[in-house]
Amino acid sequence: MGPHSGRVNTVVEERETAAGSIPAAAGAPAIAIDDVRKSFGSYSALAGCSLHVERGQFISLLGPSGCGKTTLLRIIGGFETQDAGTVAINGETVDALPPNKRNVNTVFQSYALFPHKSVFDNIAFPLAIARVPKRERAERVREMLELVRLSGVEERKATQLSGGQSQRVALARALVGRPEVLLLDEPLAALDLKLRKTMQLELRRIQEQLGTTFVFVTHDQEEALTMSDRIVLMNGGRIVQGGSPREVYDQPANVFVSDFVGEANLLDGVVDGHVGALATVTTEAGVLHVAPGATTPAAGPAIVSIRPERIALQRPGQAAGEAENGLPGTVERIVFLGNLVRAHVRVAEEVVLTAELSRAEADGIAEGERVLACFGAAATRVLPPDGAPA
Amino acid sequence: MRRPPILAWLFVGALLTFLFAPVVCVVLFSFNDSAAAGPPIKGLTLSWYREIFTNVEYTDALRNSLQVALISASCSVVAGTAAALALVRLPRRITAVLAGFFVVPMVVPALFIGVALLSFFTRIGFELSLQAVIVGHIIVTLPLVIALIGARLQNLDLSMLEAARDLGASGPQAFARVLLPLIAPAIVSAALLSIATSADEFIISLFVNGGDQTVPVVIFGGLRTGVTPAINALASTILAATVLATLIAGRLVSLRDVAR
């Protein structure tokens, strides 16, 4: 287990505790969002979201574009006003406060640096507004530049920076006022892949160093998995699931999560019986033995989700393994990914499973070959069919 | 097949002569030490300029023109900046339509505006005066200001204003510390172009001045008794003022911004 898995994760639905009148109580969550709704015209952007964020956590709001994650972030920042519901920061309700009265800062997707100001003046801007003495300003700007590892560019104009440098300046500017919570709106989207990977680790380091609560909006599941203590999945204006990266990956609450976080083979089927502690699901590819979990319907239509890396391929005649399931099929295509090999195996007329194999496991398996796609009952996750409540 | 470029040079030269010869003549003869407003050049003198800055008829006209230009430009810049700021906050579709309406006065003939204002002012009993001229010039210069400042705002990332608010600035602080410095060049250049337009505006000024004549109107009146060197000097003064204002304005905003 990772270093963060031991933390208690606040539950998404926890309405009564969000009493907005409590003044900055020590135990109050960094952010308490209670049944927030927002529509733009006839379009419902947020259909009732409740969320508690613990202090000092790095939390990602993850979802496809249009899922409402940015709207939720803008409501926390004070740039949009919700139609209903309340937002409290450190136990203090902020619904009536403009952005400049909230102890929350934002790193914008476009960075929104002031192009007519130098790097120093950009970072010192919040301090100048707050009338911090000049000497302290210089000191704090220097500290921030050290924190984001970008010294020696103080006098440069904001327009003379590279994308990565702009990113670091925007971060320093948002953090110099020591906000309670830092909101980040897809700040890495404009960077190239290599820089993005570096910045992911940098953001995490800075967050751990300062202990500030970070709320990070992204549509990139890998980014969310890399950085977060906790991932909150959003879809269609609702919060779908919240949990540690391991939880949302290993125990997705529904088909959307299973498909959005990582890759999944999804098989339609019907839950129709039991064999010992295992349930049986009849699918087009045959009867599967699955370990029932909280999301497994007692009977009736269901979707079985299997991660590609949980499927092993065996050639017929090879000694049978421990796996409860073995679906015969034909290897249709082998895709070489460098460190991994991905095999597409047709196990029924309409069903192709993707298996992710190590180079050693894939050794000797060729396209056109008959194989057995094997996976354990515990490797499966049975989910309610699309449209059914999670 | 190579033709000597001499023909091209001749053609370009002829066109330039056609365009600029009148201008050069007027400026040249405004320095001519002769009572005639044409050739020959008998010597150079500044006496015609001395005359336009001492003769009451001309000084009144210059003062009137200056007053009209400064007041109408100030009103247009304040109202136009506010309008441009309001326009970028509206939904894009509505902005496009409204921006079209704001530009219309630029293509409506000045003759039409002059006639319309004359009949309107007469109907409501508004005395024809410099104030009436100022109103007319605001109608002509306001669209210019909205177009210039609107173009500048279109090219700015307005999330900067949100960022300023986010970092603790109040609305007025965000405007003064972030937006204003960024649109200041456009504001100054809009003001200068408004002044140039107003100084040169003739038709509306002629229709509604009610006796308070601006420089172009005085020049027109003077022409009835024939062109004098003083008229040349007056025209050259207006030329210098408008060219200077336009050049400075051009340095402050790139024309590419406006063309977009």
Side-chain angles (χ1 to χ4, degrees):
Chain A
M1 295 298 261
H4 308 297
S5 57
R7 293 195 192 174
V8 179
N9 286 293
T10 41
V11 181
V12 172
E13 296 291 329
E14 207 178 326
R15 307 206 163 175
E16 300 313 313
T17 53
S21 53
I22 303 171
I31 303 176
I33 295 167
D34 194 29
D35 200 25
V36 161
R37 290 161 195 275
K38 176 75 179 172
S39 300
F40 296 104
S42 59
Y43 173 71
S44 169
L46 292 176
C49 290
S50 298
L51 171 70
H52 285 191
V53 181
E54 272 180 45
R55 281 194 208 182
Q57 274 199 332
F58 194 124
I59 178 172
S60 291
L61 298 181
L62 173 64
S65 58
C67 73
K69 56 193 192 296
T70 295
T71 304
L72 189 58
L73 198 78
R74 289 176 59 81
I75 287 174
I76 301 172
F79 303 111
E80 305 277 357
T81 311
Q82 66 270 34
D83 301 333
T86 61
V87 176
I89 294 164
N90 261 348
E92 188 198 353
T93 305
V94 295
D95 298 332
L97 298 180
N100 51 321
K101 304 276 187 217
R102 299 186 181 199
N103 198 5
V104 167
N105 285 151
T106 307
V107 176
F108 291 84
Q109 186 168 12
S110 63
Y111 313 141
L113 297 181
F114 307 132
H116 58 300
K117 290 181 187 289
S118 67
V119 167
F120 180 92
D121 287 337
N122 262 280
I123 301 175
F125 182 83
L127 304 177
I129 292 285
R131 297 178 188 281
V132 171
K134 283 226 164 101
R135 186 175 302 174
E136 192 188 334
R137 265 185 234 176
E139 178 59 24
R140 281 172 68 176
V141 169
R142 200 186 49 75
E143 263 173 37
M144 277 303 129
L145 281 169
E146 250 167 47
L147 179 74
V148 300
R149 295 186 176 156
L150 188 74
S151 299
V153 297
E154 289 88 333
E155 295 316 314
R156 246 188 258 175
K157 275 275 170 90
T159 45
Q160 298 169 319
L161 300 174
S162 70
Q165 289 173 326
S166 302
Q167 168 75 79
R168 287 168 196 264
V169 172
L171 196 61
R173 188 181 66 174
L175 285 169
V176 76
R178 295 169 185 157
E180 210 68 59
V181 176
L182 186 73
L183 308 175
L184 303 105
D185 184 11
E186 305 220 21
L188 307 183
L191 304 179
D192 65 56
L193 184 65
K194 206 154 192 173
L195 200 50
R196 199 153 68 219
K197 300 239 181 219
T198 313
M199 282 309 293
Q200 288 172 6
L201 297 175
E202 283 282 282
L203 279 174
R204 184 70 224 208
R205 171 185 65 79
I206 290 166
Q207 189 268 336
E208 281 175 347
Q209 202 168 324
L210 295 176
T212 308
T213 310
F214 275 34
V215 179
F216 186 92
V217 159
T218 181
H219 64 267
D220 182 339
Q221 48 101 10
E222 194 203 319
E223 211 162 85
L225 290 172
T226 307
M227 294 190 286
S228 321
D229 291 317
R230 190 164 163 230
I231 296 175
V232 172
L233 273 125
M234 295 186 67
N235 191 27
R238 290 175 196 282
I239 290 175
V240 181
Q241 186 176 3
S244 70
R246 276 159 205 274
E247 279 166 354
V248 296
Y249 188 81
D250 288 338
Q251 297 152 39
N254 57 27
V255 172
F256 167 77
V257 177
S258 161
D259 204 27
F260 199 82
V261 181
E263 278 182 68
N265 294 293
L266 299 171
L267 281 79
D268 287 307
V270 177
V271 181
D272 54 7
H274 289 274
V275 178
L278 300 181
T280 57
V281 183
T282 305
T283 69
E284 203 190 324
V287 176
L288 303 182
H289 299 271
V290 301
T295 55
T296 310
I303 291 171
V304 182
S305 160
I306 313 146
R307 298 287 182 198
E309 71 273 17
R310 306 293 291 266
I311 299 177
L313 298 187
Q314 282 186 348
R315 268 171 288 186
Q318 233 173 339
E322 306 272 298
E324 285 87 347
N325 298 292
L327 299 179
T330 312
V331 178
E332 280 205 338
R333 183 163 291 281
I334 299 227
V335 181
F336 178 67
L337 296 175
N339 53 341
L340 291 170
V341 172
R342 194 168 290 167
H344 299 277
V345 182
R346 188 170 292 279
V347 291
E349 202 166 319
E350 294 291 317
V351 185
V352 177
L353 292 182
T354 302
E356 222 165 64
L357 311 169
S358 69
R359 296 282 295 274
E361 287 168 330
D363 202 31
I365 292 178
E367 287 178 8
E369 209 171 346
R370 296 286 301 169
V371 291
L372 218 50
C374 302
F375 48 94
T380 64
R381 178 106 179 140
V382 186
L383 302 166
D386 267 333
Chain B
M1 194 179 89
R2 256 182 69 98
R3 277 168 194 273
I6 186 134
L7 275 177
W9 281 115
L10 277 177
F11 183 64
V12 170
L15 276 184
L16 285 175
T17 309
F18 176 70
L19 288 174
F20 288 103
V23 178
V24 173
C25 284
V26 167
V27 174
L28 197 60
F29 292 126
S30 74
F31 293 104
N32 191 7
D33 190 6
S34 156
I41 301 276
K42 291 191 171 159
L44 295 180
T45 177
L46 286 175
S47 63
W48 304 118
Y49 286 91
R50 206 171 302 123
E51 184 182 338
I52 64 168
F53 287 112
T54 49
N55 183 328
V56 178
E57 190 192 358
Y58 298 137
T59 53
D60 275 357
L62 283 168
R63 195 180 335 104
N64 284 345
S65 270
L66 190 66
Q67 201 181 333
V68 169
L70 291 181
I71 296 176
S72 63
S74 310
C75 293
S76 286
V77 162
V78 172
T81 306
L85 283 171
L87 278 175
V88 291
R89 279 155 211 260
L90 296 174
R92 213 159 253 278
R93 218 159 15 95
I94 298 173
T95 305
V97 174
L98 285 180
F101 276 110
F102 277 114
V103 173
V104 164
M106 284 210 244
V107 292
V108 172
L111 185 63
F112 182 88
I113 297 176
V115 171
L117 275 180
L118 179 60
S119 72
F120 176 70
F121 286 145
T122 315
R123 184 69 51 86
I124 64 166
F126 188 88
E127 199 188 343
L128 297 181
S129 60
L130 273 194
Q131 282 79 17
V133 176
I134 289 170
V135 172
H137 286 194
I138 292 175
I139 293 177
V140 184
T141 53
L142 190 58
L144 198 66
V145 175
I146 295 178
L148 275 169
I149 295 176
R152 177 70 183 136
L153 287 173
Q154 292 291 333
N155 291 339
L156 286 181
D157 173 13
L158 290 178
S159 64
M160 271 185 298
L161 282 179
E162 289 193 341
R165 295 299 309 275
D166 185 64
L167 296 166
S170 65
Q173 277 175 322
F175 178 77
R177 290 183 181 233
V178 175
L179 196 58
L180 201 55
L182 288 169
I183 60 172
I187 289 179
V188 174
S189 96
L192 289 172
L193 286 179
S194 295
I195 288 171
T197 305
S198 167
D200 182 48
E201 206 291 324
F202 169 58
I203 299 175
I204 298 173
S205 311
L206 178 69
F207 276 49
V208 300
N209 69 63
D212 296 337
Q213 300 188 329
T214 58
V215 172
V217 178
V218 166
I219 292 177
F220 176 70
L223 290 181
R224 268 175 289 184
T225 56
V227 181
T228 67
I231 295 288
N232 283 338
L234 204 52
S236 303
T237 308
I238 291 290
L239 176 76
T242 50
V243 167
L244 193 67
T246 311
L247 283 180
I248 299 174
R251 289 206 63 113
L252 290 172
V253 283
S254 94
L255 287 174
R256 265 176 305 141
D257 279 6
V258 183
R260 246 178 242 172

